[in-house]
Amino acid sequence: MKLKLILLVFLIFVACYKFAGRDVNFDVQPHRFDSCTQPANISELSWAITKPGVTSVAVYVTKVGEPETLWSSGPLIRTLKTGAWVSDGLTFVLRDQNNNFLARRTVDTTRCVGAEFGE
């Protein structure tokens, strides 16, 4: 039990240190893929929210012209991996418990070098 508590305190410290000085921190890695690897891309999302009044968050996914779809919700500090469904133009939107916008990150792809030459 003590080891779990120590580990939890350490993880909170690391998250707070990584995101020190900002009240909304939202990261998607990788956020850029080589188009040669399409469509099986996996990203890791991490966030740490210290904004006053925010008690929980929700992550939505969307593409241009499509409505937002709830993907995950939960605590103010978290890291999650997606499945192999991340593709060019996919946007992750972070909202608070009242559906207020907190942050947005969009995934994009780079050109598949060599593909235009038949490699």
Side-chain angles (χ1 to χ4, degrees):
M1 183 67 177
K2 286 183 182 181
L3 182 58
K4 287 182 182 181
L5 181 60
I6 291 170
L7 183 59
L8 178 62
V9 170
F10 175 74
L11 290 174
I12 291 171
F13 171 77
V14 169
C16 290
Y17 178 78
K18 179 180 178 183
F19 299 121
R22 295 175 268 165
D23 58 1
V24 175
N25 298 281
F26 185 41
D27 192 31
V28 177
Q29 290 299 325
H31 64 277
R32 179 166 290 138
F33 293 95
D34 183 322
S35 61
C36 295
T37 63
Q38 290 278 336
N41 296 318
I42 297 173
S43 288
E44 182 175 88
L45 284 70
S46 59
W47 60 87
I49 311 301
T50 58
K51 188 173 183 173
V54 177
T55 59
S56 64
V57 296
V59 178
Y60 294 83
V61 294
T62 186
K63 281 200 156 202
V64 173
E66 296 179 5
E68 292 179 358
T69 302
L70 179 64
W71 177 60
S72 181
S73 61
L76 300 179
I77 298 174
R78 193 167 187 189
T79 299
L80 289 174
K81 280 193 176 184
T82 67
W85 44 263
V86 177
S87 62
D88 186 54
L90 185 71
T91 298
F92 295 95
V93 180
L94 187 67
R95 296 187 177 278
D96 71 9
Q97 71 277 1
N98 297 316
N99 206 33
N100 295 314
F101 173 84
L102 296 172
R104 169 179 311 161
R105 301 292 178 265
T106 300
V107 174
D108 62 4
T109 57
T110 59
R111 188 176 61 139
C112 184
V113 178
E116 63 271 16
F117 301 110
E119 295 177 13

